[in-house]
Amino acid sequence: MMRYALIASTAMIAACTTAPPAPPTVAVIEPMLASTRAPCQGQTFNIYFGRDENGLSEIAMAVVDQVADAYAACDLSRIEIEGHTDAVGSASVNKAVAKTRAEVVMAALTDAGVSADHIDIIAVGETGATTASGETVPVNRKTVVTLIPALPTS
């Protein structure tokens, strides 16, 4: 009986000292150098503001989300944000308001994952805010966001 106990002990020790199995082979994945985003068409989005307002409404934030989604989905070169105002007030104040609105939209886009390095801001101000008869155009209280596609590489 002692002989069986010795054989069993030896087998258990041998099982504990055998080499572990080889680790599984790991595939090496090369990084992709080219962009994986698809080429895209230029797109334009309008984001509207109320009179004397610079904050983004819920509807405006939904448009910002659309812009961010379009940015993520395709290969873009630049994003231009033009700030516009109505013609009420002085041209210099309207230019400052236009710049602030464009900066607010830029901040929302960067919060949504768009790189600020790809965004240009243009403060248009009240240009185009009056009709030929001199009436103020309230719909000009907006920013125009234009997605500019990257040039195709050959």
Side-chain angles (χ1 to χ4, degrees):
M1 185 133 165
M2 182 71 134
R3 183 172 183 217
Y4 292 116
L6 184 59
I7 292 173
S9 296
T10 305
M12 287 174 59
I13 292 171
C16 292
T17 60
T18 57
T25 305
V26 177
V28 176
I29 300 173
E30 293 295 323
M32 295 185 68
L33 299 178
S35 173
T36 57
R37 298 189 293 182
C40 63
Q41 301 287 329
Q43 297 179 36
T44 301
F45 300 84
N46 291 326
I47 299 174
Y48 293 96
F49 294 82
R51 181 174 163 87
D52 296 328
E53 291 181 12
N54 293 327
L56 295 174
S57 67
E58 195 173 309
I59 293 170
M61 283 306 299
V63 177
V64 167
D65 289 342
Q66 290 175 1
V67 173
D69 290 346
Y71 172 82
C74 61
D75 197 14
L76 295 169
S77 169
R78 305 288 312 151
I79 296 176
E80 285 183 354
I81 304 172
E82 295 179 354
H84 296 263
T85 64
D86 59 24
V88 176
S90 71
S92 62
V93 168
N94 285 337
K95 192 82 140 178
V97 169
K99 183 177 184 228
T100 298
R101 288 177 177 167
E103 290 170 342
V104 165
V105 171
M106 179 178 172
L109 285 171
T110 57
D111 287 348
V114 176
S115 171
D117 294 338
H118 292 110
I119 300 174
D120 294 319
I121 290 178
I122 303 164
V124 176
E126 64 186 44
T127 302
T130 54
T131 64
S133 63
E135 294 177 75
T136 298
V137 182
V139 77
N140 206 49
R141 297 179 198 124
K142 64 184 176 186
T143 57
V144 177
V145 182
T146 304
L147 306 182
I148 302 169
L151 296 174
T153 57
S154 40

